[in-house]
Structure formats: structure tokens, C-alpha cells
Amino acid sequence: MDEIKQRKSQPLLKISIVMELTGLTARQIRYYEDQKLINVYRTKGKQRLYSLNQVDILLIIKQHLSDGFNIEDIRAYFDSQKRQKKAVNDKQARRLLFDEMMNNSPFGSSNQHY
DNA sequence: ATTCTAACA
DNA sequence: TGTTAGCA
């Protein structure tokens, strides 16, 4: 994973900041966590810390709810989205393996140091 | 001062 | 979902 994705998924923001960023109440933010829409990092003192990616997710949840969807709908939506990403990753993995077998990997075969 | 859990006039 | 009590 590249540095940018790593940083965007870094748990840094306490709930008060997330409240301002999303316009949601602390009650709502914790409730969506309870409903398994997000899994939140906890410090040793049990304090919640959110990543920038999770702020995005919360904004999406907020929008979908205002669009008339319920918690179950959104959970199913995220699940299917997760499946699709996994399918894409598997497809890319198969292609990478295939390329290597055909001695055609993106790393090239002409400059191998052995 | 801020966050957390649990519970409900 | 709001709100509040009692704790960390």
C-alpha cells in the first residue's frame, strides 16, 4: 500500500473533530459504529480515533440516509462494494501471475541482476 | 475539559 | 436520536 493510502487510513481524529467535519452528532457516529458500518480504532483509554477515510465513509452514510436508505441497506451496499474490490484484486493478481509466467512482468525481464 | 458507557422522564 | 448520569 502506498504512503498516501496509509496516511488516509491513519487513526488521528477524535470524535469532536469528526462531528465538525461531518455535521453528525457523537451519538450518531457511535451508533453507526454499533451497526457495523465502520470499525473504529480505540486508544488504551478506550477513546475513539477516526481516519480521514472513515470521515469520508461517515459522509457517505449521512448522504445515503438522507436519500432514504436504512442501516441495513448501507451495510449491504458497503459489503457488495467490498466484494467488488476483492474481485478486482483477484483479477489483477491472476494477471500479474500470468504475466510473470509469460516472462512479461511489469518489472521487466531484461534487467534482472542474476 | 473531553470522551465513554449505559439507560430512559 | 436526544439527553443525562457517573466514571476515566
Side-chain angles (χ1 to χ4, degrees), chain A residues 7-70:
Chain A
R7 292 188 182 285
K8 287 187 176 180
S9 51
Q10 202 70 251
L12 303 165
L13 315 172
K14 48 186 182 180
I15 201 165
S16 58
I17 301 299
V18 177
M19 289 174 64
E20 296 184 303
L21 259 30
T22 62
L24 295 167
T25 65
R27 180 76 161 87
Q28 291 173 309
I29 296 170
R30 298 190 188 108
Y31 177 68
Y32 303 149
E33 174 185 2
D34 247 32
Q35 298 305 304
K36 308 302 179 187
L37 265 39
I38 49 176
N39 41 349
V40 181
Y41 174 80
R42 299 296 197 103
T43 65
K44 294 176 181 177
K46 304 302 181 186
Q47 203 193 75
R48 274 170 264 249
L49 289 182
Y50 302 83
S51 70
L52 295 174
N53 282 161
Q54 292 177 319
V55 169
D56 288 341
I57 292 175
L58 286 168
L59 288 170
I60 291 173
I61 293 172
K62 183 184 181 183
Q63 178 175 134
H64 286 196
L65 286 177
S66 67
D67 283 342
F69 295 100
N70 58 43

